[in-house]
Amino acid sequence: MSDLSQRAQAMSESVTMAVTAKAAQLRAAGKAVIGFGAGEPDFATPDHIVAAAEAACRDPKAHHYGPAAGMPALRASVAATVPAMNAEPTQVVVTNGAKQAVYQACSVLLDPGDEALIPAPYWVTYPEAVKLAGATPVAVPHGPDLKVTPATLEEYRTDKTKMLIFASPSNPTGVVYEAEEIAAIGRWAAEHGVWVLSDEIYEHLTYGGVEAVSMAAAAPEVLDYYVHVNGVSKTYAMTGWRVGWLIAPPAVAKAASSLQSHLSSNVANVSQMAALAALEGGLETAHVMREAFDRRRLRMVSMLRSTAGVQLVEPQGAFYAFPDVTELMEKKGISSSLDLATLLLDEIEVAAVPGDAFGAPGFLRFSFALSDENLEEGLTRLQEWAG
Ligand SMILES: Cc1ncc(COP(=O)(O)O)c(C=O)c1O
């Protein structure tokens, strides 16, 4: 019998670990592995943000504990990012990345016995955060466009359904829902008293004229039962600074803040000052990064679509393509995308993330947050291998 708690035992081991560990092993042995696994921008944090952090380092005020829920100036700036919520700064909790915001929202809203609907394919952390709260994650299958509809959500709703975890743009698919689609999902949630946790971390990374619409703006009827999650990681190339946040109705924000006060206290002040500079500094640098991502996205879409046995819904946001590789698997006599990912590493030294990790067997995730040259080289190897 394990001494680990039931909660710890219920946590799934990452399906991607085997592939990631193997890629690292091959690299250490001097192999030219091309990694399509990155979940973060391959750019440095913009200079003006780093300069604000440098100044904060020298300010003794930043050397001490601060309010658990974040610096007042940052909370005010964050509150203003979602005009449709009309939120007070006290409704904002600044967290160690959006990841901790997801965890805390689940912990203060879900009880054992509750169910949380999670449209598949989903970001790997959602089901784990639900399970850590003692509740049950329920994956909702996608249509051919990799989206879910109110009709499918309704099929999976029970009297135990307390929450829907929604993300647009999506990791791993890059899919961006249209305003009417989000409005319909929000109306469905409001009608049934289901809380919506909307993770909008890729909000500013959209392409080809597509705009990400916030759940708060598209479906104002959800606002009494709504937790908004976002952060600086992806928009400002700040994954290592660990700043995210949630914005929620006052009682939820207060509970999340209390939880954080016992769990981790305030996010590092220097990082908070950097995040404030990011939000106040506008989106110019994000748009420069977005141009590079868009160029790579178009190349990736065209190369994957001309790869034998691969079907792709065009990603319009984030920095991932999520092709259906079932035909390729059949052709090669492989039964799982994990096996396919392992074979790609062994035979052509290309690392992609198997869809099993995201609740979508038969798919692979390719990040386009890598150099143009590596993208070209890696996908050429894949094309030749696929035949
Ligand atoms: C959909 C989604 N939400 C949240 C996060 C976490 O971001 P953070 O670095 O702010 O914790 C990620 C990171 O990969 C993500 O893909």
Side-chain angles (χ1 to χ4, degrees):
M1 196 190 85
S2 168
D3 281 337
L4 293 175
S5 68
Q6 288 177 6
R7 270 190 316 160
Q9 290 184 55
M11 267 189 291
S12 303
E13 245 196 71
S14 165
V15 186
T16 57
M17 282 231 312
V19 179
T20 314
K22 184 150 200 177
Q25 216 178 23
L26 288 170
R27 273 201 197 96
K31 304 281 187 194
V33 175
I34 304 230
F36 287 96
E40 58 182 339
D42 56 326
F43 294 92
T45 303
D47 287 343
H48 68 281
I49 299 173
V50 176
E54 279 170 349
C57 279
R58 290 192 202 90
D59 180 353
K61 284 206 293 295
H63 300 172
H64 302 284
Y65 291 131
M71 291 177 172
L74 179 57
R75 291 172 86 189
S77 194
V78 167
T81 59
V82 195
M85 284 186 84
N86 203 14
E88 295 294 330
T90 49
Q91 291 176 247
V92 174
V93 181
V94 178
T95 54
N96 287 282
K99 183 173 274 184
Q100 192 178 0
V102 171
Y103 171 83
Q104 286 179 189
C106 289
S107 290
V108 302
L109 280 168
L110 298 174
D111 277 317
D114 289 340
E115 293 176 354
L117 298 182
I118 307 179
Y122 44 73
W123 180 44
V124 288
T125 289
Y126 301 144
E128 301 308 318
V130 169
K131 284 194 275 176
L132 283 168
T136 306
V138 176
V140 179
H142 57 84
D145 57 0
L146 300 178
K147 295 178 181 174
V148 292
T149 61
T152 347
L153 290 168
E154 183 57 18
E155 265 179 56
Y156 284 77
R157 188 177 66 82
T158 70
D159 55 4
K160 296 182 182 146
T161 304
K162 175 89 181 270
M163 182 189 274
L164 162 69
I165 302 185
F166 182 75
S168 171
S170 150
N171 172 11
T173 63
V175 153
V176 183
Y177 282 71
E178 286 173 23
E180 308 81 71
E181 295 169 329
I182 297 176
I185 289 172
R187 276 197 303 273
W188 167 85
E191 188 185 326
H192 299 291
V194 172
W195 278 84
V196 179
L197 186 163
S198 183
D199 177 350
E200 302 186 9
I201 192 105
Y202 294 101
E203 145 185 46
H204 295 294
L205 293 174
T206 55
Y207 313 102
V210 169
E211 296 248 342
V213 178
S214 174
M215 174 67 76
E221 50 276 85
V222 300
L223 289 178
D224 289 342
Y225 296 89
Y226 179 65
V227 182
H228 184 91
V229 170
N230 208 328
V232 292
S233 285
K234 317 287 177 172
T235 305
Y236 305 98
M238 290 179 71
T239 48
W241 299 78
R242 308 311 302 134
V243 186
W245 51 79
L246 61 83
I247 315 176
V252 175
K254 190 157 178 274
S257 167
S258 297
L259 171 61
Q260 184 164 310
S261 75
H262 296 297
L263 187 70
S264 57
S265 299
N266 61 286
V267 171
N269 293 320
V270 170
S271 287
Q272 290 195 63
M273 290 304 289
L276 182 59
L279 290 182
E280 307 275 290
L283 288 166
E284 206 179 308
T285 52
H287 289 161
V288 171
M289 191 168 71
R290 183 168 73 166
E291 262 177 48
F293 285 147
D294 194 21
R295 184 181 65 241
R296 299 167 187 173
R297 175 185 75 102
L298 293 170
R299 188 69 192 130
M300 183 173 272
V301 168
S302 128
M303 290 188 78
L304 285 175
R305 283 194 169 156
S306 50
T307 301
V310 171
Q311 308 290 329
L312 178 69
V313 172
E314 180 174 325
Q316 296 178 317
F319 34 68
Y320 312 103
F322 199 63
D324 180 334
V325 289
T326 41
E327 259 180 58
L328 181 58
M329 282 161 48
E330 273 163 30
K331 188 171 151 196
K332 298 276 183 182
I334 300 165
S335 57
S336 82
S337 52
L338 179 58
D339 289 349
L340 175 61
T342 309
L343 204 62
L344 290 178
L345 254 181
D346 277 338
E347 298 199 351
I348 56 170
E349 289 160 8
V350 162
V353 187
D356 314 52
F358 310 101
F363 289 78
L364 287 179
R365 190 189 76 174
F366 290 83
S367 164
F368 41 90
L370 79 173
S371 73
D372 299 64
E373 298 73 34
N374 280 351
L375 185 151
E376 191 79 26
E377 165 66 21
L379 295 183
T380 305
R381 287 186 201 170
L382 177 69
Q383 284 182 331
E384 286 165 3
W385 185 83

